[in-house]
Amino acid sequence: MIDLETRELRYFVAVAEQLHFGRAAHLLGIAQPPLSRAISQLERRLGVRLLDRDRRGVSLTDAGHVLLVEATSALEAVSAAARRTQRAHNPERALILASKAGASHDLLQRILEACTREVGIAPPEVLLCEVGEQAGLLRNGHADAALMHHPVDDLTGFDIHPLITEGQVVILPAGHQLASRRQLLLTDIVDVPGLPMARWPRTDGTYPEGLGPEIHTQSQLAQLVALGKALLVIPASSRAWQWSGHVAVPVPDAPEITTVIAWPSGPPSPAIASLLHAARTLRNPAARETTA
């Protein structure tokens, strides 16, 4: 088995991302010759060529592309382990709970109140993030747990505790003719002239094809709908963030969404166990924990 050092992985990632030894060396704070030697030594140890070098510059080989992905994940895991270990050293610290800004607001408030009521449970520190960022915050150790949504969020490698399962609504500009309907079906909103459906990122970060705008932030999304540039389908509880220029209409045939507490796979830490205990006291607890 070949043991790779984090130092040489950092060196390789810097070169692979910059595709330039000089810029990578400056970023790392080292001279270029030692960096070149380190990459060459890494290639010899692995027995593969990672980079193609010629007068036009530097490019990744197929093996280099694979190592860039794997090395990035490995370095993130090492950093996450260090962060979690340092936080575990202080048992009185608050658990960091990530949640998408504007989503699950009422549920999040109930969880915080439940933690406050439970003796010996410190309320979590809430880390608000943008669309699809919870998984990354868990993997890199910046968050201990997160409120996420099945099946739309990437739950790979996490254990989960379901909280609520609910239907979805379509958010429309208040002045649109469809806003007066009591309910709408997916076929009613999939191809509305002049009002395309906003495109959420897939779990791999890519976006589906379509005419609607790619969604990156909640504020961007809210303004696009208010301006009559897009519509969107979201869990019913997420409409708490809607503006006065929005109208929410139920979509009964849209897939149901389950909001879960997620944490890195493995036995929950005492802080996460306390959070789950508080969550179970909510009036509408969901089913048993499952592993994604």
Side-chain angles (χ1 to χ4, degrees):
M1 184 178 68
I2 300 174
D3 291 326
L4 300 180
E5 299 178 3
T6 56
R7 175 187 58 82
E8 56 189 349
L9 291 181
R10 282 201 316 274
Y11 285 6
F12 170 74
V13 168
V15 175
E17 291 180 341
Q18 298 296 318
L19 293 178
H20 192 283
F21 276 87
R23 288 195 296 267
H26 178 74
L27 185 67
L28 293 165
I30 62 175
Q32 183 172 333
L35 176 59
S36 298
R37 289 195 297 270
I39 297 300
S40 295
Q41 181 181 11
L42 177 61
E43 290 178 316
R44 288 194 299 272
R45 291 180 61 201
L46 291 173
V48 299
R49 192 176 72 256
L50 301 171
L51 303 167
D52 284 327
R53 310 161 178 84
D54 55 35
R55 292 180 179 179
R56 291 174 297 180
V58 177
S59 60
L60 288 170
T61 64
D62 289 345
H65 280 290
V66 171
L67 184 58
L68 175 58
V69 173
E70 298 293 341
T72 300
S73 297
L75 291 172
E76 287 180 350
V78 171
S79 296
R83 293 188 187 100
R84 294 190 186 102
T85 301
Q86 289 171 335
R87 289 206 296 270
H89 180 65
N90 180 9
E92 297 181 358
R93 68 160 183 93
L95 176 142
I96 299 176
L97 177 64
S99 180
K100 183 170 63 181
S104 307
H105 174 76
D106 292 339
L107 179 61
L108 177 58
Q109 186 65 47
R110 291 171 59 201
I111 291 173
L112 297 178
E113 292 172 353
C115 290
T116 301
R117 290 193 301 268
E118 293 294 312
V119 177
I121 299 180
E125 177 182 333
V126 177
L127 176 59
L128 296 178
C129 61
E130 289 294 351
V131 175
E133 292 182 345
Q134 303 100 305
L137 292 170
L138 286 179
R139 293 191 178 107
N140 64 27
H142 286 291
D144 301 301
L147 291 184
M148 301 179 71
H149 300 93
H150 175 74
V152 295
D153 285 332
D154 179 11
L155 298 174
T156 304
F158 302 139
D159 287 349
I160 61 173
H161 172 69
L163 295 171
I164 61 169
T165 297
E166 59 185 328
Q168 299 196 73
V169 297
V170 58
I171 304 295
L172 298 158
H176 196 275
Q177 60 183 6
L178 292 178
S180 61
R181 299 273 291 272
R182 296 185 61 182
Q183 67 177 32
L184 291 163
L185 301 178
L186 287 173
T187 53
D188 298 323
I189 57 177
V190 72
D191 191 19
V192 180
L195 195 64
M197 187 174 295
R199 289 181 291 147
W200 295 97
R202 300 187 183 100
T203 56
D204 62 0
T206 63
Y207 286 83
E209 296 294 326
L211 299 176
E214 296 180 356
I215 298 306
H216 299 279
T217 69
Q218 293 287 97
S219 57
Q220 169 212 14
L221 177 57
Q223 189 159 8
L224 285 171
V225 174
L227 291 172
K229 301 297 184 182
L231 60 80
L232 73 148
V233 177
I234 58 173
S237 61
S238 295
R239 60 184 168 185
W241 64 264
Q242 73 184 74
W243 294 6
S244 58
H246 299 163
V247 169
V249 179
V251 184
D253 63 338
E256 290 189 327
I257 301 294
T258 300
T259 302
V260 304
I261 295 176
W263 67 96
S265 291
S269 67
I272 292 176
S274 295
L275 174 66
L276 298 177
H277 175 76
R280 292 188 186 99
T281 68
L282 301 180
R283 272 185 289 177
N284 296 311
R288 297 173 296 175
E289 296 164 20
T290 60
T291 300

